Amino acid sequence: MPIDPTLPYDENNIFARILRGEIPSKKVYEDEHALAFHDINPQAAVHILVIPKGKYVSWDDFSGRGSAEEVAGFVRAVGQVARDQGLVEPGYRLIANLGIHSGQEVPHLHVHIFGGQPLGPMLAGRGGGRH
């Protein structure tokens, strides 16, 4: 069920629980700013989630409240995961959903990295124009 990104951070969301070690994950990367792990319901040959370690509901929340060090560290972590997975040369897609219209389901910022196969149009039903 999509969430309202203006609500306060929920300490019991699934990603907060993964960060605390209460729920296992198939980790591929971790540093002081971010954790990356395989999605449990992959939508592509490679589907990895990258989450900041701070308590941020959405990209809007993170970009507005995160420190320069946190934002830079998170963005670098996303790039490092893509490089580590060998996705740069063939290409990959990043998605960060925000709010009800996007279908955001977990109230903790997360970036999806998709790759390992041709991904088709950017949005279904929109003709797949190049951007």
Side-chain angles (χ1 to χ4, degrees), residues 2-46:
I3 60 105
D4 178 349
T6 63
L7 294 176
Y9 185 80
D10 175 5
E11 294 280 349
N12 290 312
N13 76 71
I14 191 167
F15 296 154
R17 295 180 67 205
I18 288 171
L19 283 169
R20 289 193 302 264
E22 297 170 6
I23 297 175
S25 67
K26 191 174 172 190
K27 181 172 44 172
V28 297
Y29 179 88
E30 184 172 16
D31 67 15
E32 64 186 289
H33 300 291
L35 174 66
F37 50 92
H38 289 278
D39 193 291
I40 61 169
N41 184 25
Q43 303 298 304
V46 175

Side-chain angles (χ1 to χ4, degrees), residues 27-100:
K27 181 172 44 172
V28 297
Y29 179 88
E30 184 172 16
D31 67 15
E32 64 186 289
H33 300 291
L35 174 66
F37 50 92
H38 289 278
D39 193 291
I40 61 169
N41 184 25
Q43 303 298 304
V46 175
H47 184 176
I48 294 171
L49 299 173
V50 185
I51 63 175
K53 288 193 170 177
K55 298 174 183 179
Y56 300 103
V57 174
S58 66
W59 191 268
D60 181 67
D61 184 24
F62 183 60
S63 65
R65 291 189 316 107
S67 70
E69 184 178 272
E70 286 175 301
V71 172
F74 182 72
V75 170
R76 286 190 180 103
V78 171
Q80 187 63 54
V81 170
R83 286 187 296 279
D84 291 349
Q85 296 294 313
L87 299 174
V88 175
E89 189 276 323
Y92 61 96
R93 179 173 293 155
L94 301 176
I95 295 178
N97 295 315
L98 190 156
I100 296 167

